[in-house]
Amino acid sequence: MAILMDGKAVATKIQAKIADRVKEHKKAFGRVPGIAVILVGEDPASATYVSSKEKLAVEAGFYSKVYRLEANTTESHLLELIDELNGDTKIHGILVQLPLPKHIDTMNVIMAIDPKKDVDGFHPVNIGLLNIGVKGFIPCTPYGVIKLLEEYEIDLVGKHAVVIGRSNIVGKPMATLLLRKNATVTTCHSNTKDLQAICKQADIVIAAIGKPKMITADFIKPGAVVIDVGMNRVDGKLCGDVDFDSVEKVASHITPVPKGVGPMTITMLMYNTLQASLNRLY
Ligand code: GUN
């Protein structure tokens, strides 16, 4: 049976460290990290994520502001709000929850955020910094996966890591981070031929596909580490991209869904916001 990688427990531990740093920071500088979260529309999954982010920010001792805007909010209104938040000295991190309604150009919105406040790490400046290995903001989900792998002392050097999914939010930055850790990385996607054969060669499999329980035991080499980034709703229940029940019998380590990668993502958002605050002198 695989070792369960308890993202919830690791996230709680990091969260406690962040809360301590916030207290010290407040004592030394008389201010706390501030985060602004913007939600446009009423997508229930997005609304849940935003509420979790708000709750965790408050628990960490942050100043937190949530903007819940109507689905028909114009792009120019959103850009004006971002501009205002860019200039707000109480706010160190700005996050616009994705996906945005179709009438809004997501890239215009991301590019309007000051890269120094882009705690999601989605701005092209931060993506560029990540690619050349210079310090910037790292997208929270792949960053959380790396922290989890570190916590469980999974050695990545020279290992074959297979990332399934090539999104800007998860797959691409995940592959970059694994490469930075000296893994040999293969990125697979919907056009990949014989996904199963490629996965079967992997020492580490990262599933970020969006298809419930697609990765079964016959995709996994015995002893491989399996990280499930999937968040699918099936009959009102959350499930991952990995068929946990079969895969846990062959893998050496596995993350559950829920309580695996999800809690790590939100905690790394707090971590990035604390960093954004520490980076600033005012
Ligand atoms: N939607 C799904 N994941 C994310 C994320 O990490 N950040 C933002 N802003 N939106 C998301």
Side-chain angles (χ1 to χ4, degrees):
M1 279 302 201
I3 293 169
L4 191 75
M5 299 174 82
D6 189 342
K8 177 90 177 112
V10 176
T12 303
K13 203 168 87 178
I14 299 173
Q15 186 74 14
K17 277 193 206 156
I18 294 171
D20 284 347
R21 294 280 305 274
V22 171
K23 277 189 208 126
E24 287 167 18
H25 197 49
K26 192 173 175 181
K27 234 189 210 167
F29 303 105
R31 65 176 169 84
V32 294
I35 183 165
V37 178
I38 305 171
L39 171 66
V40 186
E42 282 108 35
D43 176 59
S46 290
T48 307
Y49 296 144
V50 166
S51 298
S52 306
K53 288 168 186 175
E54 187 179 18
K55 184 168 168 270
L56 226 61
V58 170
E59 280 173 16
F62 288 11
Y63 168 68
S64 157
K65 272 205 97 163
V66 178
Y67 296 82
R68 290 183 170 86
L69 308 181
E70 300 204 351
N72 63 2
T73 300
T74 61
E75 184 176 317
S76 61
H77 178 72
L78 185 54
L79 294 176
E80 270 171 37
L81 174 59
I82 291 170
D83 197 40
E84 201 181 294
L85 294 167
N86 281 339
D88 186 337
T89 54
K90 288 212 290 295
I91 296 295
H92 307 96
I94 302 170
L95 178 142
V96 180
Q97 186 65 31
L98 303 181
L100 286 167
K102 291 214 172 7
H103 67 278
I104 297 176
D105 184 326
T106 302
M107 219 49 226
N108 277 349
V109 172
I110 290 172
M111 288 202 283
I113 300 171
D114 179 345
K116 291 191 172 62
K117 296 192 178 190
D118 169 40
V119 284
D120 251 333
F122 294 167
H123 191 288
V125 165
N126 284 312
I127 295 170
L129 292 172
L130 174 63
N131 271 276
I132 57 174
V134 175
K135 198 166 159 21
F137 289 113
I138 299 172
C140 305
T141 298
Y143 201 6
V145 170
I146 290 290
K147 287 275 177 198
L148 202 52
L149 290 168
E150 282 174 1
E151 184 70 23
Y152 282 84
E153 298 179 349
I154 310 287
D155 180 26
L156 297 171
V157 179
K159 297 288 166 62
H160 186 195
V162 170
V163 180
I164 319 167
R166 55 172 155 179
S167 70
N168 290 334
I169 294 181
V170 183
K172 282 187 216 161
M174 188 74 253
T176 306
L177 284 170
L178 290 163
L179 195 56
R180 220 160 92 167
K181 290 278 191 180
N182 296 314
T184 300
V185 184
T186 304
T187 301
C188 298
H189 48 80
S190 49
N191 296 108
T192 296
K193 291 199 175 74
D194 209 352
L195 177 67
Q196 188 174 337
I198 297 170
C199 283
K200 197 100 196 187
Q201 295 171 23
D203 303 304
I204 297 136
V205 174
I206 317 250
I209 316 159
K211 289 205 173 139
K213 300 187 184 182
M214 185 182 147
I215 304 303
T216 51
D218 36 334
F219 282 67
I220 305 299
K221 179 168 82 175
V225 174
V226 180
I227 306 286
D228 191 351
V229 182
M231 290 268 240
N232 310 292
R233 281 208 179 267
V234 178
D235 301 327
K237 249 188 86 182
L238 202 60
C239 88
D241 293 340
V242 174
D243 178 34
F244 186 92
D245 293 343
S246 71
V247 172
E248 75 161 338
K249 295 189 177 85
V250 289
S252 71
H253 295 72
I254 187 169
T255 62
V257 176
K259 299 188 177 174
V261 174
M264 292 299 294
T265 295
I266 313 183
T267 291
M268 296 322 290
L269 174 67
M270 302 305 138
Y271 186 89
N272 279 350
T273 306
L274 171 65
Q275 200 56 56
S277 168
L278 295 174
N279 290 345
R280 282 249 302 271
L281 300 172
Y282 55 88

